[in-house]
Amino acid sequence: MKKSYEPVVGFEIHIELKTASKMFCGCKNDPFFAAKPNIYTCPVCLGLPGALPVPNKKAIEWTIMLGLALGCKIPLFSKFDRKHYFYPDLPKGYQISQYDQPMAVGGKLSIGKRTIGITRVHLEEDTAKLLHITLEGKKVTLVDFNRSGVPLVEIVSEPDIRTADEAKEFLKKIHQIVRYLEISDADMEKGSMRIEPNISVRAITKKKTLPPYKVEVKNINSFNFVKRAIDYEVTRQTIMLEKGETPVQENRGWNEERQETVSQRGKEEAADYRYFPDPDIPPLRWTKSYIATLAGNLPELPGVKEARFLKTYGLTASDASQLVETKKRADFFEEAAKVAKSAKTGISPKEIANWIINRDVDVVETLPAGLIKRMQEAKTGLDLSSSELEEVVASVLKENAKAASDFKAGKQQALMFLLGAAQRKLKGKAPVPKVLELLKKKAGS
Amino acid sequence: MKALHTLTLVEAIEKLKHKEISHAELYTSVHDAIAKDNAALNVYLSLDNEALAKADKLLDSPLAGVPIAVKDNFLTVGLQTTASSKVLEGYMPQYESTVTTCLARAGGVIVGKTNMDAWAHGSSTETSDFGVTKNPRNTAYLPGGSSGGSAAALAANLCIAALGSETAGSIRQPSAWCGTVGVKPTYGRVSRYGVIAMGSSLDSPGPMGKTVRDCALLLGRIAGSDPYDATTSDKPVIDYSKNLHKGVKGLRIGICYLDHPKLKGSAVDAAVSKAGLVFERLGAKVEKVSLTQELRAGKILTPDFAVGLYTVVQRSEVSSNLARYDGIRYGGGRALFGDEAKRRIMLGTFTLSKGYAEHYYVQAQKVRSLYLKNFADLFSKYDLLISPTSPGYAQLLGVTKDNPLFGELEDLLLEPTSVAGLPGVNVPCGRDPETNLYLGLNIVANYFQEETMLRAAHTFEEATEWNSWTKA
C-alpha cells in the first residue's frame, strides 16, 4: 500500500450472553446445543399476539459490567427501543434494542501503545436462525426460534484502528475481557461472538476528517479471516482512491473460498428503522451506588493482572502476558504459587510459570497443588543416586530380555520400549538422558 | 323472580350460593336469550359449548361460575380469538391471557367472545370484519366501541358481566352508548399479557357490568401485578366493594368540559350539570373547572390537543404492534387487514419515519406531558373530575362510513385522561324516552384511586333513576 493512504477501521461486535434464560422471557438460553429446533420457545420469543417482554436483570448487569470493563461511562438513565424491519427471523417485526440512550458510552481499550475508543455498548435481543435448504426437491428456508430472544451485547468501536494487526489485537483483547467476565463463551464458531469491521481508507493528508463512506464486511468467521478481509478491502479501496474513485458505501460479504469480499447490497444511508422507546418496558434508572456495586464486582481485568504479576512474581513480560491469557490460567498460577510458598517447597513462581507455559499443563483438569507435587517429584527424581539408577536399569534389562537383545541387534525402537519400562519403574520421574545413557551402556554390553 | 339472564353479577352469585337457582337454570336462561337475540344483534363471534359444564364445579368460588362475556382481543385457549379481524379468523391461541386466567381462578366462566372494532380500531364496532353489533337499546343505532360487543352483551342481558379493554374510550364510550357501567382502570393496574396489543402505552383491560358494584367486584379479581407484564404496578389490590356505600360527603369534585364549544347547550351539558347537583346535594363540594387553551393552574387544558397527540401516538404504536402479523407463524397474510387497520398502519409508519418522527411522534409525546402536568395540578385541588363520557347519544348505524377520524372525535372527552393513564368509570346519567338511548357520566380519579371513583359512581347510581337493573 502506498504510504500516502491509511486504513480507517472500526468494529461492531456482537456477543451472545450466557445467561440461563433469554433476554425478555424465561426460555432456556442454549441455542447452539439445543437437541432440536424450536424447543426453547414461548409466546414472547415467538412474537405471538398479546405477548410482552420482561427484561432479564442479569443480562443488563453483565452489559453494564462489560461497559465498565471497557472504561465506559454508565449513564444513570437508559431505555430499550423498538427497531423495525420485516424479516422472517424477526417474529415481532421489530427487534428490541437500544437507540440513543445505550447502557454504556465513551470507553477505551489499550492495545500496546495505542488506544482504541469504544463508542458504546448496548443490549438487544438476537433473531431466530434461518436455514436455507432443499427439502423434497424444493428450495425452502426453515426458521429456528431457539435463538430468538437470546441476549446480545453490541460493542461499537471508534474508527481508530489503523492496521489489520491492530484489528486482530483489538478483537483478541475484547475476547479476553469478555471471557474474564464469564458472561459469554465468545466462540466465533458457535456464533456467540460475531464481528463486522467497518473499513474505509483515506489519504494521510486528510487525517483529521472521517472518510465520506464506509464498507461493512459481514460473514467473517474467525480472527484470521478478519486480518485477511481487512487487508483485501484496504487494497481494493486504495486502488480505487488512487484512480480518483470513491468506493461505494455498502455491505460486502467475506467469501472464504475465494478469499475476497463481494458486494451484497448498497448500504447507502442508514435504513429507517423508525426507532421509538418500547412502551412495554419501563426505562432503567440507576443510582450511583448501584453502579459502584457492579464495578466492585468486576474481576481483576487482564491488563491489571498482568502488571501485578510482573511486579509481584518477578516474571518476564512474555511469561506474565501468557499466564493472564485466560482467567483460569492466571488463577491456577497464583494458587500454585501460593501452595508452593506455604509448603516451603522452594519452588519459584518463575519455575511454575515455565511448567505451565512450556509443558502445556491442563489448568482445567489439574489441581494447582497437584502440579506442585509433580514438580517436586520431578526435582527429587533428579536426585536419584547413580547406583540406584544403575540398579533400576539393570532390572529393566533383565525383565525385558527380548527388548534388550533386540536393541543389541540394532533395533532403535527397542530402546524406547526399554525407556518406557524404566519410566514406569521410576513413576515418570526418570531423568531421561541419564537413563538412556545407562541403557545404551548396559544393553550394549 | 325476574328472568335469570337479567340478574346482576352480585345477584346471580348470591342466588347461586344460596341455592335459590342452579347453574343449569341460569345458563339455560342466558343461552335462550343468546339463541333468540344474538343473530340480530351480532354480539358474540363465538360461544363456548362447555360453559355450563365448567360452571358446575365452581359454586364455592368467588364468582360462583357465572357466565361472562369476554371481548375477542383476550387470548383464550380453546376459544377462537380474532380481534374481529379476518387476519386472525379461526386463530386458536397457544396460551391464555393473564386476565382470563384470573377470571377462571375466581370462578368466572367465559360464555363467549364478543365482537369489537377490528384490532380495537374504532369507537363504533363498525370496523369489525364480521359485521357491526347493534345497540340493544335501539337497534337502529351503534353500540359504540371498540368494546361494543361486551357493552351490548350486558345491555341485552346475554351475559351476567363482561370484560373489555380501553385505549382511549373503548370501555367507557360503548358503556355510555349502551347505558351500562364500564371501568377503565389506571394504566398498569390490570395486566395486558395476552391481550392483543393496540396502543401499548395506553391499553387498559377492565371490567364492564350492569352495576357499579358488579364492576367493583370484577375489578378486584383481575387487578394486580403480573411478572409477565413489566408495566403492571406492584401496588396491592384492595377490596373495591368495601367502601362503596360510604357516599361522597366532603369529596371535592370538578365538573369539566361543559364550556367546550362542542358541548355548550347540549343534552350532555344538561345531564352532567344535573349530576353535579346530585353530588352537591349528597355532600360533595362541586364546582365547574374552566377550560383553558394554555396550561393554567386550576383550569383544565382543552381536550382538542389530546385528539392530535393521541391519534399520532396511538397509530405509531399500532403500526409497530401489527408488524408481527405476517402470516408466517399464525394467522392469515397482511392483505386481509381491513381498511381502517391499513389506514392506521400507514399513518403510524409515517409519523415514526425519519424526518417526520421529530415533528409528529416526539412532538405528540411532549404535548402528552402537558396533560400529565395539568392533571397533577387538578388532582391537588380535586378528588374527582366529572364530565360527559361522550359528546352525545349513540349514533346511527353507518355514520362512520368515510369518516376515518370518527373515533378520535367521539372520544374527545376521554383522550386527555387516557393519555395520562388515569382511571375512569362510566355510569348512565340520562335517557331519551323516545329513542331509549342513554347518556353517560364519566368520573375520573387520580392514579390508583379507583375506590374513590367507584364510590362516587355507586352513590350516583343509587341516588338516580338511570340504571336499568337496579331501578327496574
Side-chain angles (χ1 to χ4, degrees):
Chain A
M1 189 184 84
K2 283 217 179 119
K3 276 199 184 142
S4 50
Y5 290 97
E6 65 173 2
V8 178
V9 178
F11 275 102
E12 277 169 35
I13 301 166
H14 284 93
I15 308 269
E16 265 182 17
L17 295 179
K18 58 176 186 184
T19 50
S21 330
K22 291 186 177 181
M23 185 61 224
F24 294 110
C25 63
C27 285
K28 188 167 178 179
N29 173 11
D30 193 15
F32 191 80
F33 291 105
K36 288 202 290 212
N38 293 314
I39 53 172
Y40 300 138
T41 62
C42 76
V44 179
C45 54
L46 283 174
L48 296 190
L52 296 173
V54 181
N56 181 323
K57 186 175 180 197
K58 185 127 261 160
I60 292 171
E61 287 185 342
W62 285 1
T63 305
I64 294 174
M65 287 173 71
L66 179 56
L68 289 167
L70 294 174
C72 295
K73 286 174 274 298
I74 310 296
L76 295 181
F77 179 90
S78 184
K79 62 176 167 65
F80 287 101
D81 300 287
R82 295 189 183 179
K83 178 180 181 182
H84 301 83
Y85 61 96
F86 286 97
Y87 209 62
D89 66 359
L90 196 62
K92 297 187 294 297
Y94 59 86
Q95 177 195 33
I96 301 178
S97 177
Q98 294 194 285
Y99 176 48
D100 56 339
Q101 291 178 291
M103 280 179 215
V105 292
K108 57 185 195 283
L109 190 60
S110 307
I111 45 175
K113 290 205 172 73
R114 296 212 61 231
T115 303
I116 309 300
I118 303 289
T119 317
R120 53 185 276 157
V121 179
H122 79 249
L123 183 55
E124 60 189 23
E125 54 175 351
D126 209 345
T127 60
K129 209 164 155 89
L130 295 180
L131 195 65
H132 309 288
I133 61 166
T134 305
L135 197 62
E136 290 159 21
K138 280 206 292 203
K139 276 192 172 170
V140 297
T141 299
L142 304 178
V143 193
D144 177 8
F145 290 93
N146 285 340
R147 198 183 73 178
S148 169
V150 163
L152 211 56
V153 169
E154 180 171 328
I155 304 169
V156 180
S157 84
E158 293 289 328
D160 292 342
I161 293 166
R162 296 286 165 265
T163 71
D165 282 324
E166 263 177 23
K168 204 167 163 192
E169 254 325 288
F170 176 76
L171 293 173
K172 278 184 159 174
K173 265 250 140 87
I174 296 278
H175 181 265
Q176 186 188 39
I177 289 174
V178 167
R179 303 264 331 202
Y180 257 67
L181 294 174
E182 293 179 276
I183 60 178
S184 170
D185 291 331
D187 187 330
M188 285 191 73
E189 271 169 42
K190 300 196 176 76
S192 52
M193 178 165 172
R194 305 168 211 162
I195 53 183
E196 277 155 16
N198 286 309
I199 305 164
S200 322
V201 172
R202 71 176 166 213
I204 291 199
T205 48
K206 294 227 169 96
K207 231 185 191 352
K208 300 273 171 149
T209 52
L210 270 180
Y213 73 95
K214 61 180 176 181
V215 173
E216 188 171 321
V217 181
K218 293 172 143 30
N219 197 39
I220 299 174
N221 296 322
S222 80
F223 283 175
N224 289 325
F225 289 150
V226 172
K227 191 160 146 38
R228 296 209 203 145
I230 291 176
D231 283 334
Y232 178 89
E233 254 313 286
V234 168
T235 304
R236 186 187 75 88
Q237 294 180 19
T238 306
I239 290 171
M240 290 182 78
L241 288 171
E242 281 170 347
K243 284 201 218 147
E245 295 165 18
T246 306
V248 174
Q249 170 131 333
E250 60 176 347
N251 287 342
R252 292 177 75 87
W254 172 248
N255 187 307
E256 268 177 40
E257 287 153 30
R258 302 201 320 249
Q259 294 279 297
E260 61 183 24
T261 65
V262 179
S263 178
Q264 283 181 342
R265 59 177 179 269
K267 199 173 179 178
E268 289 118 33
E269 10 173 296
D272 185 3
Y273 294 116
R274 300 191 303 284
Y275 286 102
F276 73 96
D278 193 333
D280 292 329
I281 306 173
L284 310 166
R285 291 185 166 90
W286 315 124
T287 58
K288 285 202 171 130
S289 65
Y290 175 71
I291 303 300
T293 307
L294 289 180
N297 289 339
L298 285 174
E300 185 183 38
L301 294 172
V304 178
K305 204 186 279 290
E306 192 174 332
R308 184 168 65 78
F309 277 14
L310 273 174
K311 206 167 120 188
T312 315
Y313 299 105
L315 302 166
T316 63
S318 164
D319 281 350
S321 155
Q322 288 190 75
L323 284 175
V324 304
E325 240 170 58
T326 67
K327 189 156 169 285
K328 240 203 163 324
R329 221 188 207 199
D331 290 347
F332 183 95
F333 165 75
E334 287 211 276
E335 186 57 35
K338 213 198 300 186
V339 167
K341 189 169 180 191
S342 64
K344 294 189 169 53
T345 60
I347 293 177
S348 72
K350 175 84 187 138
E351 290 176 87
I352 299 173
N354 276 341
W355 268 72
I356 293 174
I357 293 167
N358 297 321
R359 297 194 194 216
D360 204 21
V361 173
D362 186 341
V363 300
V364 174
E365 295 301 317
T366 327
L367 285 174
L371 173 65
I372 299 303
K373 188 155 175 267
R374 227 177 99 192
M375 289 175 74
Q376 282 178 304
E377 286 172 357
K379 272 196 167 174
T380 43
L382 291 163
D383 287 336
L384 265 182
S385 73
S386 298
S387 57
E388 283 169 325
L389 260 180
E390 287 193 24
E391 263 177 55
V392 169
V393 168
S395 62
V396 161
L397 288 170
K398 191 159 164 213
E399 288 160 19
N400 299 281
K402 176 155 196 315
S405 63
D406 280 349
F407 175 58
K408 201 169 169 181
K411 291 195 179 139
Q412 279 298 113
Q413 261 167 299
L415 180 64
M416 288 301 117
F417 178 84
L418 291 167
L419 174 62
Q423 277 283 28
R424 279 194 293 279
K425 272 202 188 291
L426 292 170
K427 296 205 176 53
K429 296 177 293 180
V432 170
K434 196 96 178 80
V435 168
L436 280 175
E437 196 194 307
L438 284 169
L439 278 170
K440 282 182 199 162
K441 204 165 98 187
K442 290 233 148 111
S445 62
Chain B
M1 183 167 13
K2 52 177 168 168
L4 298 188
H5 63 291
T6 67
L7 290 173
T8 67
L9 178 63
V10 168
E11 287 170 345
I13 293 172
E14 201 184 306
K15 288 192 193 299
L16 281 167
K17 285 195 189 276
H18 288 145
K19 305 247 188 337
E20 288 172 43
I21 62 174
S22 71
H23 282 123
E25 287 166 336
L26 177 60
Y27 275 78
T28 302
S29 183
V30 171
H31 282 137
D32 281 352
I34 293 174
K36 184 162 145 282
D37 294 333
N38 191 50
L41 294 175
N42 197 29
V43 163
Y44 287 105
L45 297 179
S46 62
L47 294 165
D48 186 355
N49 300 322
E50 310 294 312
L52 172 58
K54 291 177 181 157
D56 252 350
K57 312 168 188 108
L58 297 169
L59 194 55
D60 291 329
S61 64
L63 297 178
V66 297
I68 300 187
V70 173
K71 186 176 181 183
D72 208 19
N73 60 352
F74 287 83
L75 262 67
T76 47
V77 173
L79 284 178
Q80 177 189 245
T81 300
T82 66
S84 284
S85 170
K86 288 219 162 76
V87 171
L88 288 180
E89 190 168 9
Y91 172 63
M92 299 300 280
Q94 294 91 337
Y95 76 105
E96 189 84 19
S97 76
T98 296
V99 167
T100 51
T101 303
C102 290
L103 193 69
R105 209 183 288 138
V109 175
I110 303 175
V111 65
K113 308 297 290 298
T114 58
N115 199 14
M116 50 186 283
D117 282 292
W119 306 104
H121 296 167
S123 309
S124 61
T125 310
E126 260 188 332
T127 68
S128 168
D129 285 352
F130 304 118
V132 73
T133 296
K134 300 208 173 77
N135 190 328
R137 304 292 190 182
N138 183 330
T139 56
Y141 290 83
L142 295 165
S146 60
S147 312
S150 286
L154 291 163
N157 287 301
L158 302 185
C159 67
I160 298 299
L163 289 178
S165 69
E166 172 159 339
T167 308
S170 289
I171 286 179
R172 289 176 286 172
Q173 188 254 25
S175 303
W177 282 15
C178 290
T180 58
V181 182
V183 173
K184 179 214 169 287
T186 309
Y187 177 82
R189 178 73 290 184
V190 179
S191 171
R192 294 179 295 120
Y193 185 70
V195 181
I196 295 176
M198 186 220 187
S200 309
S201 71
L202 301 147
D203 292 344
S204 306
M208 298 169 74
K210 301 177 182 178
T211 69
V212 174
R213 196 172 273 283
D214 284 359
C215 286
L217 177 59
L218 204 47
L219 179 62
R221 291 288 144 203
I222 61 174
S225 165
D226 183 9
Y228 288 94
D229 178 349
T231 60
T232 52
S233 166
D234 284 334
K235 276 187 146 63
V237 177
I238 61 170
D239 179 351
Y240 295 105
S241 312
K242 205 168 65 159
N243 296 323
L244 287 180
H245 61 284
K246 289 224 168 120
V248 296
K249 206 147 179 219
L251 282 183
R252 302 162 300 166
I253 301 180
I255 309 182
C256 303
Y257 302 141
L258 297 187
D259 49 350
H260 189 279
K262 275 211 168 70
L263 301 184
K264 270 207 178 118
S266 64
V268 293
D269 181 1
V272 171
S273 298
K274 271 213 192 97
L277 293 172
V278 170
F279 284 124
E280 208 164 41
R281 186 172 35 90
L282 294 170
K285 270 186 61 202
V286 183
E287 65 188 34
K288 286 216 161 102
V289 183
S290 315
L291 207 62
T292 173
Q293 301 291 319
E294 286 171 20
L295 268 190
R296 286 257 137 71
K299 293 183 191 278
I300 188 158
L301 192 58
T302 173
D304 294 351
F305 307 139
V307 176
L309 100 81
Y310 168 69
T311 302
V312 169
V313 171
Q314 178 242 86
R315 280 153 172 73
S316 300
E317 293 179 358
V318 160
S319 73
S320 177
N321 287 327
L322 294 187
R324 66 187 63 195
Y325 299 95
D326 52 21
I328 296 176
R329 289 149 290 130
Y330 49 82
R334 292 174 81 75
L336 293 170
F337 276 124
D339 285 351
E340 184 57 31
K342 287 183 184 162
R343 267 184 222 119
R344 296 197 184 202
I345 291 170
M346 286 192 285
L347 194 74
T349 305
F350 173 76
T351 52
L352 288 174
S353 294
K354 197 192 276 213
Y356 298 102
E358 271 297 312
H359 301 299
Y360 292 102
Y361 178 79
V362 176
Q363 188 66 10
Q365 293 282 45
K366 287 181 182 174
V367 176
R368 190 174 187 174
S369 68
L370 295 179
Y371 283 97
L372 290 168
K373 286 201 175 91
N374 187 219
F375 288 116
D377 170 56
L378 290 173
F379 280 111
S380 70
K381 302 175 166 65
Y382 300 99
D383 299 302
L384 296 171
L385 299 173
I386 64 174
S387 76
T389 300
S390 171
Y393 293 95
Q395 298 194 31
L396 286 162
L397 294 169
V399 75
T400 66
K401 196 169 180 319
D402 299 328
N403 200 348
L405 269 200
F406 173 82
E408 275 64 30
L409 296 171
E410 283 307 309
D411 294 326
L412 172 76
L413 306 175
L414 304 171
E415 277 152 27
T417 51
S418 292
V419 301
L422 292 164
V425 55
N426 173 80
V427 274
C429 69
R431 187 180 83 91
D432 181 340
E434 282 179 26
T435 59
N436 196 33
L437 293 174
Y438 283 74
L439 294 176
L441 174 70
N442 174 39
I443 307 174
V444 174
N446 205 355
Y447 300 107
F448 301 105
Q449 300 308 310
E450 285 86 356
E451 196 200 25
T452 311
M453 75 188 195
L454 288 170
R455 179 154 51 102
H458 174 78
T459 305
F460 182 80
E461 188 180 85
E462 297 273 277
T464 59
E465 304 295 303
W466 308 117
N467 187 297
S468 55
W469 289 273
T470 61
K471 303 298 146 108

